[in-house]
């Protein structure tokens, strides 16, 4: 049963999220604790398309992509915990609050996204999460965000 999975590899992630290159920003979710928390991984490489312009002489991962990586981790957690694999799940940002950036994320970093659910459960369309992104156990970014989770009408 998928709701008992403790992790999601890239193949399962792609069965949950509609995102693809260049906007798939989570490589693996290594811990999924039901719908309450998850830990996602993004291996940051120089091959990311945004590094061409942000910034050519000192590549820095844009803050908005860090927040998006946290949101994608949250969507995988919801997809696994609610058995929404292969269900054409769509998740849309509604709000981003209390967002702070604490350090630069650069090529070669392993970005860890720690997600916890503040509000949401099966049957609800609106979910609220807290995300923390870390590199080498140092806080890179933090944010709270609200998202609407939709499935196609059958």
């Amino acid at each position: 049963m998928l709701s008992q999975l403790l992790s999601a590899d890239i193949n399962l992630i792609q069965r949950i999220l509609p995102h693809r290159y260049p906007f798939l920003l989570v490589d693996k979710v290594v811990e999924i604790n039901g719908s309450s928390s998850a830990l996602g991984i993004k291996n940051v490489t120089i091959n990311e398309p945004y590094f061409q312009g942000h910034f050519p002489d000192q590549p820095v991962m844009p803050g908005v992509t860090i927040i998006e990586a946290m949101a994608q981790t949250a969507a995988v957690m919801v997809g696994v915990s609610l058995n929404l694999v292969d269900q054409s799940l769509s998740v849309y940002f509604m709000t981003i609050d209390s967002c702070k950036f604490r350090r630069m994320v650069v090529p070669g970093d392993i970005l860890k996204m720690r997600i916890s659910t503040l509000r949401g459960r099966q049957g609800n369309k609106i979910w609220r999460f807290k995300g923390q992104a870390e590199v080498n156990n140092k806080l890179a970014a933090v944010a709270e965000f609200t998202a609407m989770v939709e499935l196609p009408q059958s």
Side-chain angles (χ1 to χ4, degrees), residues 14-74:
Q14 290 183 317
R15 292 175 58 200
I16 295 169
L17 297 180
H19 305 79
R20 296 297 181 266
Y21 178 85
F23 214 67
L24 181 57
L25 298 172
V26 60
D27 296 321
K28 186 172 187 177
V29 182
V30 295
E31 295 175 14
I32 299 172
N33 182 15
S35 62
S36 63
S37 65
L39 174 62
I41 303 292
K42 167 67 178 154
N43 295 300
V44 182
T45 74
I46 193 63
N47 295 321
E48 309 292 341
Y50 42 77
F51 286 136
Q52 292 179 10
H54 197 270
F55 299 97
D57 294 332
Q58 184 181 5
V60 176
M61 186 173 184
V64 294
T65 57
I66 297 170
I67 303 303
E68 177 65 25
M70 289 193 285
Q72 289 181 18
T73 300

Side-chain angles (χ1 to χ4, degrees), residues 78 82 117 119-121 124-129 146-147 149:
V78 170
L82 300 184
T117 301
R119 185 180 67 236
R121 65 181 188 280
N124 284 9
K125 287 178 104 174
I126 308 300
W127 290 66
R128 185 155 178 86
F129 305 96
T146 304
V149 178

Side-chain angles (χ1 to χ4, degrees), residues 45-115:
T45 74
I46 193 63
N47 295 321
E48 309 292 341
Y50 42 77
F51 286 136
Q52 292 179 10
H54 197 270
F55 299 97
D57 294 332
Q58 184 181 5
V60 176
M61 186 173 184
V64 294
T65 57
I66 297 170
I67 303 303
E68 177 65 25
M70 289 193 285
Q72 289 181 18
T73 300
V76 171
M77 174 187 68
V78 170
V80 167
S81 67
L82 300 184
N83 295 319
L84 299 176
V85 177
D86 299 323
Q87 298 293 312
S88 300
L89 176 69
S90 294
V91 181
Y92 303 101
F93 271 126
M94 295 178 68
T95 66
I96 300 171
D97 299 306
S98 304
C99 181
K100 295 182 179 163
F101 300 100
R102 300 294 187 200
R103 73 179 302 277
M104 290 187 288
V105 177
V106 299
D109 284 345
I110 298 171
L111 188 65
K112 294 183 178 181
M113 290 85 57
R114 297 184 190 282
I115 306 302

